[in-house]
Every structure is written in structure tokens, then in C-alpha cells.
Amino acid sequence: ASTACPSAIQRSIPLLARLFTEQFAFSKGDSVVVIGLGRFGGAVANSLMQLGHDVMGIDRDAEPVHEWADLLTHAVQADSTSAMTMRQLGVGDFAHAIVGIGGDLAASLMTVMALTELEIPDIWVKAMTPEHGKIAERIGAHHVVYPEADMGERVAHLISGRMMDYIEFDDGFAIAKIQAPSVTHERSLAESAVREHFGVTVVGIKRAHEDFQHGKPGSVVLPGDLLIVSGPTKKVEAFAASGRRR
């Protein structure tokens, strides 16, 4: 079971990056600093670059900085726990910060404290445990994600066939990639009224051999389409399950 976790997490990371842009305060072109360029931080930084953001990557080790130097707007080797160092790098001018530090709890929390001191308006933290997340919120984090938590539930959703990708946040919010339920087939999103009937939002539509399209009222869903859906966890689950009752 443990060997399945990294691949499931890795597949979910681009979806997480898109969620930052589509559902929260990330506007196209916003500057983002990603601290910790491991598997999670590096992949999120890369995905955000692809979505049109200016991204500075920071890591205390030279190897990941060299790896990402040509792929990000800026990549810097620095001590993120020092508010003075972060200020000198201009981190205080960034609209968003994502702390993706993995195994070093102290470094993660001290980085949050430094970012809070710089008054970053939107701080995200990757937490390894609920306790980690609670402390991060108390000292200034605005959002906490648990990409390596609740894997049993996530894998259950994937194995059931209801969802192809699934991320749940600590506030009862989820985003999933699912096969379009039959209730949406051959209808525009306005006609199927997914939000009114199911309480979820269709963020986007992916059709075979076509580019991803944002979900708009006039977007027509066809059989075989994949939908990126967000909303309260239970409602996302119910909407995904609705396509398997027929």
C-alpha cells in the first residue's frame, strides 16, 4: 500500500496547482514563491509556471535549486526560516507563498513564521499531520493541505471507479476528476444545472484529443468527457456516484 502513495500524490499535484488558480485567490500572472523544491513543491511550482504565474523557488539545498533553475522564473538556495533572508530576496512582494517543506517540521513552521512577519497575504502550507496543520494555522498560515494524508480514502475513491483523481482539504472541500455523469450528457452546464442540483462546480472539461476548457454556462458536455469538479466533499462524492446508478 505504501508504494502506491507517491504515484497517487504525484498525479494529484497538477490538479492541486490548477485548484490554486481556479478556486482560490490565485489570479493569472500572480507571483508565487514556493519554498521546498522536493517532489511536492517542485511539481506544484512547475504546474503553476505552466498556468502563467511567475514563480520563485527556494530550497536550502543546492541540488534541487540547480534542477529547477532553468524551469522557474527564479530558483534560489536560501534559508527560508530567516525573515531577514526572505526580505532580502524580495519575498515580501509576492502575492502567494506555498511552503512545501516535507520532513522537517521545525523548518516548515519557522518558515511560516518568517512569511507571517513579512505579511504575505496568502500563505499555504503542506502539512504532514493534523497537528502540524493546526500549529501552522495558529502562527499565520491561511490554508493547509494534506497531500499525503487520508490516502486510504483517496485510494478507495480511485479504486471504486467513481473518481480518477481526488484531493480533499481539511475544511471539507474537495476537487475531483471524474467521468461525466449521464445527467450532463449532450447538455450545456447551464442546462444540466449541476450547481443547483448537486451543489458542486464544474471547474473544467477535458475531451479526448482536445485541450482543457474552463467550465462555462455554455460549455456542452459529451459522453466520455472528463470533468474537474469542486465543492463540499460529500456533494462531490454524491455527484461522482450519480453517474454509476444507471
Side-chain angles (χ1 to χ4, degrees):
S2 59
T3 56
C5 293
S7 60
I9 296 163
Q10 194 71 12
R11 289 198 310 271
S12 298
I13 287 170
L15 193 63
L16 182 61
R18 188 173 298 281
L19 177 64
F20 289 147
T21 297
E22 298 296 336
Q23 287 295 312
F24 295 104
F26 285 40
S27 299
K28 189 174 179 64
D30 274 0
S31 59
V32 185
V33 58
V34 178
I35 301 171
L37 295 175
R39 184 176 67 243
F40 175 84
V44 168
N46 186 50
S47 295
L48 288 170
M49 284 288 294
Q50 294 175 17
L51 290 170
H53 298 280
D54 290 326
V55 179
M56 174 187 281
I58 298 175
D59 200 284
R60 66 184 177 185
D61 296 326
E63 185 176 348
V65 171
H66 292 157
E67 179 182 348
W68 289 102
D70 295 331
L71 301 174
L72 305 180
T73 310
H74 303 286
V76 182
Q77 181 182 4
D79 177 11
S80 63
T81 66
S82 168
M84 181 180 297
T85 299
M86 295 292 98
R87 184 176 287 109
Q88 291 172 344
L89 291 174
V91 171
D93 297 328
F94 281 73
H96 311 279
I98 300 173
V99 181
I101 297 172
D104 192 335
L105 175 62
S108 173
L109 296 176
M110 289 177 67
T111 296
V112 173
M113 292 175 65
L115 295 171
T116 302
E117 184 174 333
L118 295 180
E119 299 183 343
I120 303 296
D122 191 40
I123 302 172
W124 293 74
V125 178
K126 166 194 171 182
M128 304 301 294
T129 65
E131 291 75 17
H132 180 181
K134 289 176 182 177
I135 296 171
E137 288 179 324
R138 287 172 185 163
I139 62 178
H142 302 101
H143 309 279
V144 177
V145 294
Y146 299 90
E148 291 166 345
D150 302 321
M151 281 305 300
E153 182 175 356
R154 183 177 298 115
V155 170
H157 283 301
L158 302 181
I159 291 174
S160 72
R162 293 179 179 180
M163 302 184 189
M164 303 176 69
D165 252 323
Y166 175 79
I167 301 171
E168 183 177 5
F169 294 83
D170 62 325
D171 58 356
F173 184 93
I175 184 168
K177 179 169 67 176
I178 67 173
Q179 290 283 351
S182 58
V183 68
T184 64
H185 292 176
E186 309 290 352
R187 306 172 74 184
S188 70
L189 293 179
E191 291 171 334
S192 58
V194 171
R195 184 177 297 177
E196 289 77 8
H197 293 155
F198 292 92
V200 300
T201 299
V202 177
V203 175
I205 302 170
K206 181 66 176 75
R207 190 164 295 150
H209 311 301
E210 294 186 17
D211 292 336
F212 175 91
Q213 58 176 298
H214 299 300
K216 300 177 180 178
S219 300
V220 176
V221 178
L222 301 179
D225 283 352
L226 300 179
L227 304 182
I228 307 299
V229 181
S230 64
T233 301
K234 295 300 183 184
K235 293 185 177 181
V236 169
E237 292 171 348
F239 180 60
S242 70
R244 298 179 61 83
R245 293 177 187 149
R246 298 176 186 274

Short mmCIF file of all heavy atoms in Angstrom, two decimals, residues 5 32 60-61 103 114 117 128 160 189 191 204 214 217 235:
data_model
loop_
_atom_site.label_atom_id
_atom_site.label_comp_id
_atom_site.label_asym_id
_atom_site.label_seq_id
_atom_site.Cartn_x
_atom_site.Cartn_y
_atom_site.Cartn_z
N CYS A 5 1.32 5.27 -2.68
CA CYS A 5 1.08 6.65 -2.26
C CYS A 5 1.80 7.70 -3.11
O CYS A 5 1.17 8.64 -3.57
CB CYS A 5 1.47 6.82 -0.79
SG CYS A 5 0.39 5.91 0.35
N VAL A 32 4.17 33.88 -7.22
CA VAL A 32 4.09 32.84 -6.20
C VAL A 32 5.50 32.42 -5.80
O VAL A 32 6.35 32.19 -6.67
CB VAL A 32 3.32 31.60 -6.71
CG1 VAL A 32 3.14 30.59 -5.59
CG2 VAL A 32 1.98 31.98 -7.33
N ARG A 60 16.82 25.03 0.72
CA ARG A 60 18.07 25.20 1.46
C ARG A 60 19.20 24.38 0.85
O ARG A 60 20.38 24.62 1.15
CB ARG A 60 17.87 24.79 2.91
CG ARG A 60 17.57 23.32 3.14
CD ARG A 60 17.29 23.03 4.60
NE ARG A 60 16.94 21.63 4.82
CZ ARG A 60 16.55 21.13 5.98
NH1 ARG A 60 16.46 21.94 7.03
NH2 ARG A 60 16.25 19.86 6.12
N ASP A 61 18.86 23.39 -0.01
CA ASP A 61 19.87 22.54 -0.63
C ASP A 61 20.15 22.98 -2.06
O ASP A 61 19.23 23.41 -2.79
CB ASP A 61 19.42 21.08 -0.62
CG ASP A 61 19.27 20.53 0.80
OD1 ASP A 61 20.07 20.94 1.67
OD2 ASP A 61 18.36 19.71 1.03
N GLY A 103 9.95 16.77 5.48
CA GLY A 103 10.20 16.06 6.72
C GLY A 103 10.67 16.88 7.89
O GLY A 103 10.79 16.35 8.99
N ALA A 114 8.34 33.27 9.42
CA ALA A 114 9.06 34.28 8.65
C ALA A 114 8.14 34.93 7.62
O ALA A 114 8.15 36.17 7.44
CB ALA A 114 10.26 33.64 7.95
N GLU A 117 5.79 37.29 9.31
CA GLU A 117 6.48 38.54 9.65
C GLU A 117 6.57 39.46 8.44
O GLU A 117 6.49 40.69 8.57
CB GLU A 117 7.87 38.22 10.18
CG GLU A 117 8.65 39.45 10.66
CD GLU A 117 9.97 39.09 11.30
OE1 GLU A 117 10.08 37.97 11.84
OE2 GLU A 117 10.90 39.93 11.25
N MET A 128 2.12 17.47 7.21
CA MET A 128 2.24 16.01 7.25
C MET A 128 1.23 15.38 8.20
O MET A 128 0.84 14.24 8.02
CB MET A 128 3.66 15.63 7.68
CG MET A 128 4.75 16.24 6.81
SD MET A 128 4.61 15.77 5.07
CE MET A 128 4.92 14.01 5.18
N SER A 160 -12.78 2.52 -6.67
CA SER A 160 -14.21 2.34 -6.93
C SER A 160 -14.58 2.71 -8.36
O SER A 160 -15.65 2.34 -8.84
CB SER A 160 -15.04 3.18 -5.96
OG SER A 160 -14.94 4.56 -6.29
N LEU A 189 -23.69 23.24 -19.40
CA LEU A 189 -23.68 23.27 -17.95
C LEU A 189 -24.86 24.07 -17.41
O LEU A 189 -25.39 23.77 -16.33
CB LEU A 189 -22.36 23.88 -17.46
CG LEU A 189 -21.10 23.04 -17.74
CD1 LEU A 189 -19.86 23.76 -17.22
CD2 LEU A 189 -21.21 21.65 -17.13
N GLU A 191 -27.81 24.13 -18.80
CA GLU A 191 -29.00 23.27 -18.93
C GLU A 191 -29.02 22.17 -17.88
O GLU A 191 -30.09 21.85 -17.33
CB GLU A 191 -29.03 22.65 -20.33
CG GLU A 191 -29.30 23.67 -21.43
CD GLU A 191 -29.10 23.08 -22.82
OE1 GLU A 191 -28.31 22.11 -22.96
OE2 GLU A 191 -29.72 23.60 -23.76
N GLY A 204 -13.81 22.58 -15.02
CA GLY A 204 -13.34 22.44 -16.39
C GLY A 204 -13.76 21.12 -17.00
O GLY A 204 -14.27 20.22 -16.33
N HIS A 214 -12.20 25.63 -19.70
CA HIS A 214 -12.81 26.04 -18.44
C HIS A 214 -14.33 25.83 -18.51
O HIS A 214 -14.95 26.00 -19.57
CB HIS A 214 -12.51 27.51 -18.17
CG HIS A 214 -11.05 27.79 -18.04
ND1 HIS A 214 -10.26 27.20 -17.08
CD2 HIS A 214 -10.22 28.59 -18.75
CE1 HIS A 214 -9.02 27.62 -17.20
NE2 HIS A 214 -8.96 28.47 -18.22
N PRO A 217 -21.11 28.45 -18.51
CA PRO A 217 -22.52 28.07 -18.65
C PRO A 217 -22.85 27.46 -20.01
O PRO A 217 -23.66 26.55 -20.11
CB PRO A 217 -23.25 29.41 -18.45
CG PRO A 217 -22.34 30.19 -17.57
CD PRO A 217 -20.95 29.83 -18.00
N LYS A 235 -20.79 16.35 -1.33
CA LYS A 235 -21.53 16.64 -2.57
C LYS A 235 -20.73 16.23 -3.80
O LYS A 235 -21.31 15.77 -4.80
CB LYS A 235 -21.90 18.12 -2.61
CG LYS A 235 -22.92 18.49 -1.53
CD LYS A 235 -23.39 19.93 -1.63
CE LYS A 235 -24.46 20.21 -0.58
NZ LYS A 235 -24.97 21.59 -0.65
#
